[in-house]
Amino acid sequence: MNAQAPIGQQVVDQLHLEHMRVTSIPYRSTNMVIFSGVPLAKNSYKINSGKYFVTIKADPDSIPVQPALGQHWSVKGARLVEDMESGDFVMQQHTYEAPEHIECSLPETGEQLIRFIAREADFKGIGESKARALWELLGRDFHTIARKDTSTSRKRLRRVLSEDSIDALFEGYARYKNLAYCNWMSQNKIPASIQQRLLKHHGEKSIKAIKQNPYVLIGFGMSFTDVDKLVESDQFEITSCDHKRLSAALETAIRKEIEKGHTCTTQAALRPHLTKLLRDNEVVTEAFKAGHDKAQYILNPDTGTYHPTAQLLMESVVAKRLKALASQNNLYDEYANSAYCYAVDELPYELTKKQIEAVTTCLDNAVSCITGGAGTGKTTVLRTALRAYHQMGFEISAVALSGRAAMRLHESIGFTTSTIAKLLRAEPLEPNSGQQNHLLVVDEASMIDLPTMYRLVNHIHPSVRIIFTGDPDQLPPIGCGKVLADIVLSRAIANTMLDIVKRQDGSTGIPEYSKLINQGIVPEKLSTGAIHFHETTKSNIAHVCCDLYQQSPENSRVMAPTKALVADINKLAQEAVNPNGNRLEFEMHGERFFQCLRLNDAILFTQNHYDKGIQNGSLGTLTSVQSSGESYGEVTLDMGDKVEITQSVLDCMELGYAITLHKAQGSQFPRIIIALQKGRIVDRAWLYTAITRAESEIHIVGSPDDLRVITETHSNSHKRNSYLVELLRQN
């Protein structure tokens, strides 16, 4: 479509119904898709009018399938009519923004279908002549044949199509065979993302599953309130006391507790959630019975705690696997001693008594932990233990949760490392003819939540030894559970807690400072060694952080507790250090649109794109804003890899001069600037974790009173209910 410019407009409020064939998709993101096309007469392939075109702006989650060229759509809603200048003539544009009803339809008649298949990119290699031959062969049987890839179907199709074209036909049609179900679900306000999950699980029985029990949608991501609204329509015969509804309400309440990090809970904690959803105390009591009948939880009679079935299963499996490994001890023999001596001889310095204990503990036990704060020598111990294990012929797999942490681990131990996500996508870790002995190292284990730990132990053979390293006093994982803290607390797994090494001349003082904070002690001197405290009013924190960042941009990162403060500092930092960089841009409807991102900006990614080497929390620099086709430019990651900016990548890019602490966990930076601000999530563990992100220099910005209150108040971080400790302690 040529570039158009609006020259006048008229809003038409009443509802309109129009049919169109998609001819362009000028914009697509996770938040919005814009597609345009020529109007069609109803049930016809013929263009209704050449005087206007139809444009639809919609949330991708509200439409049944993603738009593609050649598709037929019908749209109903209020429309905006604009006169658009297109070269030397004027055309009308009918725009439907967030329309009331929208559906995609598969062409039914011969000519429609021929054009659709020939023009739709999904049917690769099938042009108009092949499409016409298909229609002549199959006629009205086309949809029946294309729905199922069977040997009988293929035999019939071979009369007019090659094997490659048959593959393309079935692959192309797969996107559309569930279209009728998708249209029905979209009509009932079921988001597209939930539709896809449901179809993946239930396939052609999806609508039947919903009609049998609409609350099944909660398991696929829909809220209880939204399903309740859906149930209000006449097509469902479900009362307010129906056990399907009540067990769904309980599932929602349990999930709220799990989102807080708990793996078990109490009736007292669940009841307020249920009361809010069901608004009737008697019905609430009935919901507990409904959940019990459906085995949604196990009630512990001794403690009165409610254990969600899935979480209890995961904790039981993790505990069983770790206890089985823990029973394999007293492994330190002459062979291990020889490997230990080899590893120690390689060191340029002597180990402390505690470090020797930690190394020998790792060699003596099939599962062990090395724990301690910053500067306690965890890396030295791990490097020595791994050198000994390597000498004993073990294959070493070392993992961390984030890409930056994995890179840092590689730099410190010298062995190949990867992210946990990458390990879980690879072949399971197990003995084979080439390699009998395996060791798995899990670094920064305080960040590992229960579901991740469960997947890990199921991905490795029971004989694989494990070493956990980490600091249980840091912030707990984002997901539920607190695996490392529970392992340490249980005393069921061999653990060496390393303490502060004697302070060396010229050291930063960071380990000592962080230890005091962790103990709830306010340091006598707020500024000491490489730690600098900048007393600042709350309103001026962002500006001071920005000034400090400017002093050494290449080495610095700002940590802030809230997304709002992060956004403020990012904006100020960009204006200060990169005010004139070329802005990232894209074209839409012939117009240029600019992003707030500029060439040479620090970039943070907020979603996982494992296929592109990006994780939630990956950092990099915007190194190109040259757009070409579907690419808008390039980001160079901190680890050196380059990432092409497509629309899906762009959707998860933000400025990264300042980041939240959760995004920084597992990473370290030479120079840290901490924006200290009292708030719900800022406690002793938060400050302690922030301080331990620094390699050599720290700047704390805020008020001394806030620092004192935050340090002296007990941390809430580990007040998570979990059952793993008890399971590990059981004989």
Side-chain angles (χ1 to χ4, degrees), residues 332 336-351 356 359 363 380 383-385 387-388 391:
Y332 194 88
N337 188 61
S338 170
Y340 167 78
C341 293
Y342 168 82
V344 171
D345 283 348
E346 294 280 299
L347 293 173
Y349 46 79
E350 285 191 8
L351 295 177
I356 293 168
V359 176
L363 296 170
T380 301
R383 198 163 48 227
T384 309
R387 198 172 282 133
Q391 181 69 10

Side-chain angles (χ1 to χ4, degrees), residues 65-72 104 106 113-126 172-173 175-176:
V65 289
Q66 291 306 298
L69 298 181
Q71 288 173 347
H72 290 197
C104 180
L106 277 178
L113 194 66
I114 290 162
R115 284 170 177 253
F116 175 73
I117 293 169
R119 295 182 182 187
E120 169 62 272
D122 283 330
F123 299 99
K124 200 173 177 182
I126 304 176
Y173 197 88
R175 281 190 63 191
Y176 300 98

Side-chain angles (χ1 to χ4, degrees), residues 367-418:
V367 58
S368 58
C369 299
I370 308 163
T371 56
T376 56
K378 292 196 298 291
T379 302
T380 301
V381 167
L382 181 62
R383 198 163 48 227
T384 309
L386 294 188
R387 198 172 282 133
Y389 264 112
H390 186 65
Q391 181 69 10
M392 289 160 64
F394 276 75
E395 184 167 301
I396 293 159
S397 304
V399 294
L401 202 59
S402 73
R404 280 186 70 86
M407 179 178 70
R408 193 161 58 84
L409 180 63
H410 170 68
E411 288 167 354
S412 57
I413 64 172
F415 291 93
T416 305
T417 61
S418 81

Side-chain angles (χ1 to χ4, degrees), residues 157-170:
L157 290 167
R158 283 190 195 105
R159 294 182 202 173
V160 293
L161 295 179
S162 67
E163 221 47 58
D164 285 348
S165 295
I166 292 170
D167 289 343
L169 178 70
F170 284 122

Side-chain angles (χ1 to χ4, degrees), residues 444-691:
E444 296 279 359
S446 63
M447 296 173 64
I448 310 295
D449 62 16
L450 176 63
T452 304
M453 191 65 218
Y454 172 75
R455 285 196 289 273
L456 261 180
V457 297
N458 279 310
H459 196 71
I460 62 174
H461 190 270
S463 67
V464 176
R465 296 192 189 183
I466 304 174
I467 297 175
F468 294 101
T469 72
D471 184 351
D473 291 322
Q474 287 189 12
L475 282 179
I478 295 171
C480 68
K482 47 182 176 65
V483 175
L484 183 66
D486 284 347
I487 287 172
V488 172
L489 191 61
S490 74
R491 299 183 180 273
I493 307 294
N495 172 42
T496 311
M497 176 72 83
L498 299 172
D499 211 333
I500 297 285
V501 192
K502 190 180 175 187
R503 184 165 179 179
Q504 314 261 322
D505 289 338
S507 74
T508 61
I510 293 170
E512 295 82 4
Y513 200 96
S514 66
K515 187 179 181 182
L516 288 171
I517 296 290
N518 192 33
Q519 292 172 338
I521 303 165
V522 180
E524 276 185 39
K525 293 180 179 176
L526 295 186
S527 293
T528 177
I531 301 115
H532 311 275
F533 190 89
H534 305 265
E535 187 171 346
T536 312
T537 59
K538 186 178 175 180
S539 60
N540 208 33
I541 287 174
H543 288 278
V544 174
C545 286
C546 178
D547 291 344
L548 287 163
Y549 183 88
Q550 276 182 271
Q551 293 170 13
S552 184
E554 63 282 357
N555 294 315
S556 303
R557 199 74 59 168
V558 184
M559 307 279 149
T562 65
K563 287 180 180 178
L565 187 54
V566 164
D568 287 348
I569 298 168
N570 269 324
K571 197 173 174 183
L572 289 167
Q574 185 192 46
E575 284 304 313
V577 302
N578 192 25
N580 302 315
N582 291 335
R583 288 188 294 173
L584 196 64
E585 62 180 83
F586 60 88
E587 277 198 15
M588 186 173 73
H589 284 326
E591 293 180 58
R592 278 186 171 179
F593 289 81
F594 294 91
Q595 293 279 342
C596 64
L597 305 173
R598 296 172 181 161
L599 186 64
N600 299 321
D601 270 339
I603 298 295
L604 166 74
F605 292 95
T606 58
Q607 290 172 25
N608 296 325
H609 280 279
Y610 295 127
D611 56 324
K612 300 182 190 303
I614 302 168
Q615 281 186 290
N616 187 348
S618 293
L619 292 160
T621 305
L622 184 55
T623 46
S624 169
V625 292
Q626 292 294 315
S627 59
S628 172
E630 291 188 1
S631 171
Y632 303 136
E634 197 174 65
V635 173
T636 303
L637 297 176
D638 280 9
M639 292 175 283
D641 296 337
K642 296 188 185 299
V643 176
E644 189 183 24
I645 306 170
T646 57
Q647 190 61 62
S648 61
V649 171
L650 182 61
D651 287 338
C652 68
M653 283 169 58
E654 292 178 3
L655 290 172
Y657 300 102
I659 57 178
T660 63
L661 184 56
H662 272 119
K663 291 283 191 280
Q665 262 194 283
S667 301
Q668 282 197 299
F669 305 90
R671 182 172 180 265
I672 288 287
I673 301 157
I674 300 171
L676 194 66
Q677 200 178 65
K678 271 199 307 186
R680 185 177 54 83
I681 66 162
V682 181
D683 59 12
R684 186 191 298 173
W686 187 94
L687 180 56
Y688 170 71
T689 308
I691 289 169

